[in-house]
Amino acid sequence: MKKYISAILFALVLFSACSDSFLDENPKNFESAEQTYKTTKGFNAALNGLHAYARLEFETWNDNIVAQGACAYEVLQGGLDVCYINNVDGTLQPFQKYTFDATNSYIANRWKWAYGLITNANMMVNYAEKGDVAWIKDTDKTFFQANARFFRAYAYRYLTYLYGDVPWVDKVEDTYRVDFERTPKAQVLAKMIEDLEFAAKYLPENPGDVKDGELTKWVALHMLSEISIFAGDYKKAQTAALEVINSPYFKLMDTRFGKNASQAGDPFADMFLEKNQNRKAGNLESIWVIQAEYNVTGGSTTYNDWTRRAWVPAYYSIPGFMITQEYGGRGLGQIRPINYIFNSYETQDIRNSIYNIRREFIYNDPKNTELFGKKHTITEDNMDRGYMFPTTTKFDYMPENDPTYAGNQKDKIRFRLAETYLLLAEAYLDDNQASKAVDAINKVRERAGATLAKVAEVNMDYLLDERSRELLGEEMRRFTLVRTGKLIERTKKYNSKSASTIKDHHVLWPVPQGVIDANSGLKWENNPGYN
């Protein structure tokens, strides 16, 4: 039933998914929305479905409606100031060379995923308003609407950063429409802020009282801080971030914890070890964690996330190497960090430790007696081919029973407290309160063991460097650069492979051509530069 709702109803509601194959679906058995949204139990089932749909955020090859190819995540990291795109997957090259256009499948599928999530969220909001629901508790209605409104804002987060003006849709339409108007971005952001404020008011407060992955008010407040910055309301952003920071529930992890705590390592590396992401594992820095664990009911599938394949090189393609957990499992090396990031760390910074950045590779195939135990020399050719390059260890993953496994099924930290501090710093910088921004940045640097920043050296570029040191691979870097107005400048400065081709209009993606064509009742002009 949940798959049917996700796959078919948003296709009927919004023109972004108007393929005949979607409209012709005819499952033999399903429970209608009218039947599901009658009781608290039904709403719980639908909420589980909403979480499941949200987990398709970076869905790769699969047979569902939002399969996005092999590199759904990489297009938000590569071709910018943090990552080159390697010569591994040709579908990614347009995002390094900036030759993508309105027919690009990744651009179309990101739109499709977002409006699918919006439609599922709208169903929950709309049906909760009906007067014939048998609620168990008086608070059930606002609880389910708070969850749905968070996910609606989360989907619009993608749409506003990537496409600018997009239709604001907050109800399930009774008839198929082809006359949607693009809502100005400022108005969409204002609606998102309303959704996040509602979510923060009615979601649970104590993260210890909810299951791993479930939303709390702090998840909503963290995102409220970010979106308020994007909307230019820096005071609101500061207030929201400070509520999270001053709450009694979170702390920057500065002591060892969880899996492998008794082994060599450091607190920063501990956060990204498999089974260490969640609060119940002792990670008090995580605010929201996507549940994607391997071989667990309610977790993800092989195809939900191939992030490991992006960051871990295909080192095993070089004679003398074999796949091993020590080197991150089976990666493909589709993107690689630009050296300036790793060169910007101080020696004593724990984020620069061997547990967090892998710079050396030792030949490990005992069958190759000539090379075994020797250090490999990394070449530019092997970096371009994705075979070998220095990289973060955050996305290492390898099931013990299947070293060639393609997926990346460990839980994923989406929001954590270190980023809340950096959002607070950004809001202060935008509000001309540099000394307060420095104080917020230094909370993060102090945990890392780095030299504390001084007011005279801190500006938006310093903050963006600090975000890359702290959040490499976790943040959607394209979003950060769009929000700060630095995408073109920093890509040209740091990414030699994209500097000559990126143009001012590439700050936004084009609206998918299929969307424009399907909205036949109201002609749209595409974003500037893509007509």
Side-chain angles (χ1 to χ4, degrees), residues 14 45 122 156 247 439 464:
L14 202 67
N122 283 342
Y156 272 111
S247 77
D439 290 342
L464 288 169

Side-chain angles (χ1 to χ4, degrees), residues 168-179:
W168 173 262
V169 182
D170 59 5
K171 64 179 180 179
V172 178
E173 300 283 354
D174 293 328
T175 58
Y176 190 83
R177 285 182 56 185
V178 292
D179 61 348

